[in-house]
Amino acid sequence: MKNEAPLVEPSDALVPPRRNPPLPVWIAVVIVCTAALWGGNPVAAKYSLFSETTGIGLPPITVSGIRFLLATLFMVFWCRMVRSPLSITRKQLPACLIAGTLLAAQIGTFSYGVHLSNSTHTTILINTFIIWILVFEHFISRHHRMTTPQIIGCILAAASALITILLRDKLSSPSTGTHDLPSLFGDCIMILSALLLAAKILFIKSQLTKIDPGTLMLWHDLIGVVWFVMIALLLERDQVSVQQVDAEVVVGLLYQGVIVGGLCFAVQTVLLKTYSATQISVFSFLSPVFGITAAALFRSDPLSSWIFLSLGLVAAGIYLVNRQGPRYNKSNGTDAE
């Protein structure tokens, strides 16, 4: 946001929450494109992670480290392009350390979740982070007060994810010829990763009035890499071999690092400076549609015709969440049409 709302003081208790500006069409198109790219991330992760069947791939934390090393390099280029400072002040360092630590926890659990589950479940469950963001922004920070239609919109979008995962469970059997089958433990880890992602997004948003978006993303990536290197040296030193790396592993790493870890995160952070996390993140419910399609094309996951029902629910949810409520009339303290 351009002007981040301060914590509510007792004397300000009756002041209504500030409304966020509506999303222009071109901004919505950009967010949909990033949702599509994000949807392909679990598939790319599957290609880069070690598979016992093929003997090809790298362990989860190593993949995470390489991914965000590439993202760090991308952010150096991004900062140069948008003229963001590369250095930070001593006062900004604690925020960068927290953001980088949240990144390491979230991406580490994400990589393990992908390793233990399949692309479709991963795509759906990681996007439940919008539920956590909604709960925090609506009930705790009150930075984005949801109207009844907007809450219904999020419920519809969540229902689309639930329908998709239930259908996927019916189709996930060895007889379908899928490459990857989900596991309950992997799915639980992915839900934890979604919670950590929501916490990271909200924390980063709270710091955008203090640190330039590009600078914050650069340092949050770099600090995350430091965590990944230390953990990988401790836990995965004997599991890494050049012989386990082929062209598919390299492409998967480039996609995760440059496209998602770099470009998508940078775009999201820039948008968070103006729009609420709920407005932006609700589009993530499109990611399961894109992700399931990618899983069907590249990982032989079955694609059900019921996905169109899920897409309809997503579209309805997005419309309701981004539907503008009545404007607040400051002169008489009432809502104005």
Side-chain angles (χ1 to χ4, degrees), residues 12 19 34 54 85 121 136 189-190 206 228 250 269 272 275 304:
D12 298 329
R19 293 189 183 277
T34 59
T54 63
H121 275 228
F136 184 88
I189 292 178
M190 194 55 63
S206 72
F228 291 134
V250 172
T269 302
L272 281 172
Y275 305 100
S304 169

Side-chain angles (χ1 to χ4, degrees), residues 88-110:
I88 57 174
T89 66
R90 185 174 298 179
K91 290 182 178 180
Q92 293 171 335
L93 180 59
C96 292
L97 287 171
I98 293 172
T101 301
L102 286 171
L103 171 72
Q106 189 266 311
I107 296 299
T109 51
F110 172 84

Side-chain angles (χ1 to χ4, degrees), residues 62-323:
T62 300
V63 166
S64 301
I66 296 173
R67 171 184 173 182
F68 277 91
L69 176 60
L70 293 170
T72 301
L73 297 175
F74 176 89
M75 287 309 303
V76 171
F77 166 77
W78 177 276
C79 288
R80 289 293 189 186
M81 184 176 67
V82 301
R83 298 183 179 180
S84 296
L86 296 178
S87 61
I88 57 174
T89 66
R90 185 174 298 179
K91 290 182 178 180
Q92 293 171 335
L93 180 59
C96 292
L97 287 171
I98 293 172
T101 301
L102 286 171
L103 171 72
Q106 189 266 311
I107 296 299
T109 51
F110 172 84
S111 295
Y112 268 106
V114 174
H115 182 59
L116 296 172
S117 191
N118 73 347
S119 303
T120 304
H121 275 228
T122 299
T123 303
I124 294 167
L125 295 176
I126 192 62
N127 285 289
T128 60
F129 76 90
I130 180 59
I131 302 298
W132 305 112
I133 287 178
L134 170 64
V135 168
F136 184 88
E137 287 205 322
H138 182 73
F139 294 105
I140 301 175
S141 73
R142 297 175 182 258
H143 286 168
H144 185 94
R145 296 296 294 162
M146 300 290 285
T147 63
T148 299
Q150 289 173 325
I151 293 174
I152 293 172
C154 273
I155 292 173
L156 288 176
S160 74
L162 179 61
I163 288 173
T164 304
I165 197 170
L166 291 176
L167 289 170
R168 182 63 185 84
D169 281 336
K170 291 178 64 177
L171 295 170
S172 292
S173 65
S175 62
T176 63
T178 60
H179 287 175
D180 320 298
L181 296 178
S183 72
L184 179 60
F185 184 55
D187 288 350
C188 290
I189 292 178
M190 194 55 63
I191 292 174
L192 173 60
S193 182
L195 174 58
L196 290 169
L197 177 57
K200 184 175 76 73
I201 290 174
L202 291 167
F203 178 77
I204 286 176
K205 180 173 176 59
S206 72
Q207 301 302 308
L208 292 180
T209 56
K210 306 171 186 176
I211 311 176
D212 181 271
T215 306
L216 178 56
M217 292 308 297
L218 169 62
W219 280 86
H220 124 294
D221 288 353
L222 181 60
I223 291 168
V225 169
V226 173
W227 275 111
F228 291 134
V229 169
M230 291 190 298
I231 297 172
L233 287 175
L234 181 64
L235 301 178
E236 298 178 348
R237 181 182 300 180
D238 299 329
Q239 302 175 35
V240 179
S241 172
V242 177
Q243 284 72 32
Q244 298 168 205
V245 179
D246 63 4
E248 291 183 347
V249 174
V250 172
V251 171
L253 289 170
L254 288 173
Y255 186 95
Q256 295 174 81
V258 178
I259 302 299
V260 177
L263 181 62
C264 289
F265 272 87
V267 170
Q268 182 190 65
T269 302
V270 170
L271 293 177
L272 281 172
K273 199 168 185 179
T274 302
Y275 305 100
S276 79
T278 301
Q279 281 177 299
I280 295 171
S281 299
V282 72
F283 282 86
S284 67
F285 280 108
L286 283 171
S287 290
V289 178
F290 294 116
I292 291 169
T293 302
L297 292 174
F298 299 104
R299 300 297 297 181
S300 299
D301 283 7
L303 181 61
S304 169
S305 59
W306 280 77
I307 196 67
F308 294 106
L309 172 61
S310 176
L311 181 60
L313 291 173
V314 167
I318 289 173
Y319 169 76
L320 290 173
V321 167
N322 285 286
R323 181 169 174 260

